[in-house]
């Protein structure tokens, strides 16, 4: 067994149930850990479940199941592919599935249902999902430590300008760790990099192994993990609330693991997802939505990157993409020079108004029809003001044909993504149309 696999599996082999104490295992046990398969769940923008499933199939080579509960997908991966999962562009939040119940039989009396939740906590297969959570936590530690290392390396003078002596061993260690952090984060933020992910994960875990050993020597008392349970419930036939389910199930989890409950500063977030008779227990792998990973500034109408990815995936062309800021009603482009337009139209809530949209939308569609190539041009447009858009589109049917509509949830608003195709008819400026009519009359 190679050194990377050995380091990976040694860190994997952590018993979180027995106060997180390490145990001795055989080489065959380590080999089986490296081949561990787990089910990952991901939340995605509603309406783009199939887009996310296609990305999983393309980048991970795994088949994907779309949940009956809209906005969720599930797929099976090996532990070595965990870093690649974080590079998916279509997913918001990730969690590892502890167990799934397709047809959970809820009892009619609330007290009995809550008692079943209490009993369920001690019967679930927690071991493998907690190992995945442990590996995932190493990614987050590396990312958080990067900023601290940058700050330490930039300090040259302290204490009223007096220079300090720097331990060369510590500097070397920090520079090495910083380089590794950059490599990991470059891959995390740029899935186009073609490094071997399993090697990347192995190097990361190997480097953190020494730190884990040192910290275990320094601490005489085992660390008690803090946790919380979050229940997401959908359905009308439940006799209990989400808070009641989270409370009773969480109490049983606390008794089982001897963890400490903390609703804000927690280490582990246990998820209890209930949709009608489907119950899925999981452990969160993300603290905040992945759509924030590349956003440096949030404006009043910032589009979620995962939703933008879904919109960009609607055209079946793999074209390079540039971003500029122009007036959509007066584009500095030649007629018939654009293949695809993707845009988030003003909803008329945080930007513009519903009243202004009645003039804006027709003008947008007209200018888009001018710059788009007849027959082959495409447009993918997002809006929540569907009434206004439908009216505007009805007056532009000679140049635009609707081929698909995807309904999505944008900040609690029901919006639509319209996929349009440019008709073969050439663009005629409105003034030229008026002139032709005057000649005919």
């Amino acid at each position: 067994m190679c050194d990377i696999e050995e380091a990976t599996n040694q860190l994997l082999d952590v018993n979180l149930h027995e106060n997180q104490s390490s145990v001795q295992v055989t080489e065959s046990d380590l080999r089986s850990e490296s081949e561990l398969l787990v089910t990952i769940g991901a939340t995605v923008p509603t309406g783009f479940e199939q887009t996310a499933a296609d990305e999983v199939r393309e980048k991970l080579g795994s088949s994907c199941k779309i949940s009956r509960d809209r906005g969720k997908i599930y797929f099976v991966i090996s532990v070595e592919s965990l870093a690649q999962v974080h590079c998916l562009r279509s997913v918001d939040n990730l969690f590892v599935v502890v167990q799934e119940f397709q047809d959970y039989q809820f009892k009619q009396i609330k007290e009995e249902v809550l008692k079943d939740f209490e009993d369920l906590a001690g019967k679930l297969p927690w071991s493998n999902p907690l190992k995945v959570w442990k590996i995932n936590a190493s990614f987050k530690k590396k990312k958080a430590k990067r900023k601290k290392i940058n700050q330490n390396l930039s300090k040259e003078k302290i204490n009223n300008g007096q220079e300090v002596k720097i331990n060369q061993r510590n500097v070397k260690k920090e520079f090495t760790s910083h380089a590794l952090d950059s490599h990991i984060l470059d891959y995390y933020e740029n899935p186009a990099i073609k490094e071997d992910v399993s090697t990347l994960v192995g190097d990361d875990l190997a480097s953190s192994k020494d730190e884990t050993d040192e910290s275990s020597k320094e601490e005489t008392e085992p660390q008690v993990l803090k946790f919380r349970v979050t229940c997401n419930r959908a359905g009308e036939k439940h006799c209990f609330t989400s808070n009641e389910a989270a409370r009773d199930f969480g109490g049983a989890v606390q008794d089982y693991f001897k963890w400490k409950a903390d609703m804000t500063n927690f280490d582990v977030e246990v998820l209890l997802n209930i949709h009608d008779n489907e119950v899925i227990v999981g452990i969160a792998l993300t603290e905040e939505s992945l759509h924030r990973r590349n956003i440096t500034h949030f404006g009043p109408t910032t589009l979620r990157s995962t939703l933008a990815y879904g919109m960009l995936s609607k055209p079946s062309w793999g074209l390079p993409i540039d971003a500029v800021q122009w007036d959509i009603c007066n584009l500095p482009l030649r007629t018939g020079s654009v293949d695809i337009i993707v845009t988030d139209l003003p909803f008329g809530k945080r930007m513009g108004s519903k009243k202004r949209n009645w003039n804006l939308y027709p003008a947008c569609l007209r200018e888009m029809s001018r710059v788009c190539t007849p027959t082959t041009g495409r447009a993918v447009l997002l809006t929540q003001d569907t009434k206004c858009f439908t009216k505007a589109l009805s007056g532009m049917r000679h140049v635009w044909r609707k081929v698909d509509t995807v309904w999505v949830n944008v900040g609690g608003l029901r919006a639509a993504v319209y996929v349009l195709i440019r008709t073969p008819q050439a663009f005629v400026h409105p003034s030229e149309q008026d002139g032709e009519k005057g000649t005919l009359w």
Side-chain angles (χ1 to χ4, degrees), residues 69 72 106 113-114 117 120 227-235 238 240-250 263 269-276 278-282 284:
D69 185 9
K72 292 186 179 67
F106 290 102
V113 175
L114 297 178
F117 281 143
L120 179 64
F227 84 106
R228 81 173 185 186
V229 171
T230 301
C231 178
N232 299 297
R233 183 183 62 87
H238 302 135
F240 57 91
T241 66
S242 300
N243 288 336
E244 291 171 336
R247 179 197 63 201
D248 288 43
F249 182 71
M263 299 298 104
E269 182 177 21
V270 179
L271 305 176
L272 182 60
N273 295 330
I274 303 172
H275 182 261
D276 293 330
E278 181 185 70
V279 176
I280 297 178
V281 180

Side-chain angles (χ1 to χ4, degrees), residues 36 38 46 177 230 233 264 271 285 298 317 322 393 415 426-427 430 435:
L36 178 64
V38 293
T46 57
S177 180
T230 301
R233 183 183 62 87
T264 55
L271 305 176
L285 300 179
F298 278 93
W317 300 5
D322 290 324
L393 185 61
F427 174 80

Side-chain angles (χ1 to χ4, degrees), residues 127-183:
S127 179
N128 287 344
L130 284 172
K131 291 172 184 176
V132 175
W133 172 86
K134 182 66 176 179
I135 296 176
N136 191 76
S138 70
F139 294 150
K140 293 189 292 185
K141 290 178 181 178
K142 285 288 181 182
K143 187 176 181 180
K145 197 172 68 173
R146 182 180 184 182
K147 181 183 295 185
K148 181 178 179 181
I149 291 176
N150 284 334
Q151 294 174 347
N152 291 340
L153 293 177
S154 64
K155 290 181 179 179
E156 297 181 355
K157 296 182 180 181
I158 60 174
N159 297 333
N160 297 325
Q162 297 295 323
E163 294 186 1
V164 295
K165 295 182 178 180
I166 303 176
N167 187 307
Q168 296 296 325
R169 181 179 179 183
N170 291 339
V171 170
K172 182 178 180 180
K173 181 178 179 181
E174 286 191 343
F175 268 111
T176 303
S177 180
H178 174 62
L180 178 60
D181 291 346
S182 300
H183 189 51

